[in-house]
Amino acid sequence: MREHGGNLDLAQQRFGGRTEDWIDLSTGINRLPYPVGDLSMHAWTALPSRAEIEALHQAARQAYRTSAAMVAMGGAQAAIQLLPQLAPSGRARILAPTYNEYAGVLSSAGWDVHEVGELDALAGADIAIVVNPNNPDGRCFAPKDLLALLPRVGRLVIDESFVDAVPHLSLAPQADRPGLLILRSFGKFYGLAGLRLGFAIGNAADIGKLAAAVGPWPVSGATIEIGCRALRDDAWGEATSARLARDCARLDDMARAQDWTLIGGSPLFRLYETPDALAAQERLARGHIWSRVFAQKPTWLRLGLPGSEAEWLRLAEVLAR
């Protein structure tokens, strides 16, 4: 299995405790989720209609400020799994270090995969992958620089899973351009990763292929009802973006007091340079706070943002020990 955050079962095996005892900061998932509220019985008992799925698409178009074709599916990961079906295997270039599922999925499908360190090195690829903001280091790219790359590659895939709180970086409004495909995650910003909802946004030909691959009911009725409600709630989104910006500064201050150096991050996670990331992870884990480390980068520690004030106080207490 490829390395990921969210592996709380491993933390429990090593350090004990029940799931509810832990604060999982190993992911970039908002820990103050959108308030779901009550759902209709129809959402649970009826197959989603085409009109209901299209209503979800329309809510996403409004939220993402785009008129391009799109298809909802079970998270951005579901779209990643289907990328090899968009074209015959060829040269894939991935801007790295980044989310490791891209290399694995494309390699397994017979693509010639290379990871590169700069945008210009993606030129000439049949498919080029950029995560913006990048996971795990938060590196960001201006939309104009990404659009300048578009004519130099066969297909440009931009993973915008962490862009909700920094919408000026999004290329969703330009997604109908030939060769451009945007992937969006719903669960991270809205704190509802268990819902498994994401969107692929692009030109009609690519979206048609993906829609055919996911079938007539790509998401559940409950997912549609919650997704529509949340995506239309501009006030909640604006307030959440403002809170996350404040919380990033708060977490950075706490890390600085530990002599950890900020490498980068997004409004949903921070990446720090530490003397020994495994030691820092264990120290936190003994207080039942789980973090993310990287096998190839032994000094890197990634933390999501605590949610409630009780979680912030617990983190401060554990760090002070």
Side-chain angles (χ1 to χ4, degrees):
M1 179 178 290
R2 287 181 278 273
E3 184 182 83
H4 296 292
N7 51 345
L8 194 58
D9 51 350
L10 175 62
Q12 290 175 260
Q13 290 170 16
R14 291 177 56 192
F15 300 100
R18 303 164 299 168
T19 300
E20 56 268 30
D21 297 329
W22 283 83
I23 301 172
D24 187 2
L25 303 184
S26 70
T27 74
I29 298 167
N30 182 0
R31 290 191 61 80
L32 290 179
Y34 184 81
V36 171
D38 295 331
L39 298 183
S40 69
M41 186 57 66
H42 174 83
W44 298 111
T45 60
L47 283 172
S49 68
R50 291 184 180 179
E52 288 165 340
I53 294 172
E54 184 52 35
L56 175 62
H57 290 161
Q58 193 54 41
R61 286 190 187 98
Q62 180 177 340
Y64 302 153
R65 298 173 176 82
T66 185
S67 60
M70 69 168 58
V71 58
M73 53 185 69
Q77 182 63 46
I80 295 171
Q81 299 295 140
L82 296 176
L83 288 180
Q85 299 189 25
L86 291 178
S89 58
R91 295 166 297 178
R93 303 292 179 266
I94 302 171
L95 195 63
T98 195
Y99 184 55
N100 58 28
E101 287 292 331
Y102 284 101
V105 166
L106 291 165
S107 294
S108 296
W111 286 73
D112 174 29
V113 177
H114 288 275
E115 296 186 340
V116 301
E118 299 297 333
L119 276 182
D120 283 346
L122 295 169
D126 297 301
I127 186 169
I129 310 292
V130 179
V131 180
N132 190 38
N134 189 42
N135 172 19
D137 59 11
R139 187 179 179 188
C140 294
F141 305 93
K144 65 180 180 62
D145 295 332
L146 296 172
L147 289 176
L149 177 66
L150 184 57
R152 305 167 67 195
V153 300
R155 180 175 280 101
L156 178 59
V157 178
I158 309 294
D159 183 331
E160 296 185 347
S161 291
F162 291 100
V163 85
D164 294 73
V166 281
H168 63 281
L169 294 176
S170 177
L171 273 176
Q174 309 285 338
D176 56 356
R177 296 191 180 210
L180 181 60
L181 183 68
I182 308 297
L183 307 185
R184 295 289 293 247
S185 168
F186 173 87
K188 294 179 177 64
F189 180 72
Y190 290 94
L192 298 171
L195 203 64
R196 305 311 305 137
L197 176 60
F199 300 90
I201 313 169
N203 64 78
D206 281 351
I207 298 305
K209 289 179 183 179
L210 293 174
V214 298
W217 303 290
V219 293
S220 71
T223 296
I224 292 170
E225 195 163 307
I226 294 169
C228 285
R229 191 178 297 173
L231 288 164
R232 291 169 180 158
D233 194 340
D234 294 339
W236 185 90
E238 292 169 3
T240 295
S241 295
R243 174 184 60 80
L244 291 171
R246 295 191 300 270
D247 286 352
C248 283
R250 183 177 183 180
L251 187 58
D252 290 346
D253 286 344
M254 295 172 72
R256 195 175 302 113
Q258 302 297 313
D259 291 326
W260 298 347
T261 301
L262 178 68
I263 297 174
S266 81
L268 285 168
F269 63 82
R270 315 303 280 167
L271 182 66
Y272 301 109
E273 181 86 24
T274 72
D276 184 336
L278 280 174
Q281 184 186 53
E282 181 170 341
R283 177 182 167 199
L284 290 166
R286 294 194 182 284
H288 288 164
I289 297 173
W290 195 226
S291 56
R292 173 90 187 268
V293 294
F294 302 85
Q296 303 304 314
K297 298 286 186 178
T299 61
W300 282 13
L301 181 78
R302 199 189 77 175
L303 287 174
L305 304 180
S308 67
E309 187 61 23
E311 291 187 354
W312 282 99
L313 293 174
R314 172 123 145 252
L315 176 61
E317 177 189 354
V318 171
L319 288 175
R321 291 175 185 169

